[in-house]
Amino acid sequence: MFCKFFAHDLRHGLGDHPCRLGVGFLLFFCLSSYHFLTLRIYELTNPEFFETPVTTGDYFLALTGGCGKVEPVPGGGTTFTMPVLWITFVLWILFASLYYPFLDLQGMGKQLLCLSGTRGVWWASKCLWTVCNTVANYLLAFAASALAGICFGAVPSMTAHVYLYQELEMNAGTLTSPSTWDIWPLFFLTALALVALSLLQLALSVAVKPLFSYLLLTAYLLAGTYLQSPALLGNFAMPARSSLLATTGLDPLLGGLLCLWVIVGSVLLGWALFEKKDILGGDGA
């Protein structure tokens, strides 16, 4: 029965939405292309950073890196700059998995659920679909940034250069390398954090309307852009806040464990809430 539910979700939740995937790819490509414009400035101000070719890893980190830890500055104020590329990237991925589970509950999904006689299978299928959809959109972002980089002459590599500290608003004195970073570990940690956030959103959507859960996650992510704390999971989807790139960053191992804890907690919490939810009355959302 689970396989039938999951095949249904893959077909209707992913296969029937090529336009959404195409829009996402185009959005990520345009956001990544912005890095080409910033490169023109860096080449003039810091030419020493460009003795080796720019890589596709640079483009990907520019898109997904976020911003460094916010520090106070003498005389008042802080170093905070809103990471617009990062917040757009994350919010699109969360939006892409927002409505399908509960729209499905208004149509064929409700009929399948009633025929199966068990809510657990429906919920497990939607959780797995959310994981697959989030990973698919994340890989689209990766492919789009790589294509943007190659179009502008970047070398295919997941080695990123430290000149990006300026674009990511990082403190030069805290960098862990004088030249390059290997960002493969952060590639996987960011994916895990996005999966955790998507499943948390799914669980919240059982208790409140999907739109409200999206707004709550948006506020949670915006708080994370300003405050560096393990309690704000968005920090682990932000490579610029990782101790692999900056000495003041957060431990990626801790981030991975917290993400797994949130994933398990969201699945169990959502399941418990869904078992008590009235799906026959109202719109199911």
Side-chain angles (χ1 to χ4, degrees), residues 32-48:
S32 300
S33 297
Y34 175 76
H35 182 59
F36 176 74
L37 301 178
T38 63
L39 281 174
R40 306 286 71 79
I41 299 174
Y42 297 148
E43 286 176 338
L44 294 175
T45 58
N46 301 96
E48 68 275 10

Side-chain angles (χ1 to χ4, degrees), residues 136-160:
N137 280 275
Y138 182 65
L139 293 177
L140 271 183
F142 175 67
S145 67
L147 180 61
I150 291 171
C151 287
F152 293 115
V155 175
S157 171
M158 284 299 277
T159 297

Side-chain angles (χ1 to χ4, degrees), residues 209-224:
K209 295 286 185 178
L211 178 60
F212 294 156
S213 71
Y214 185 69
L215 294 177
L216 286 172
L217 261 292
T218 299
Y220 178 69
L221 288 168
L222 289 174

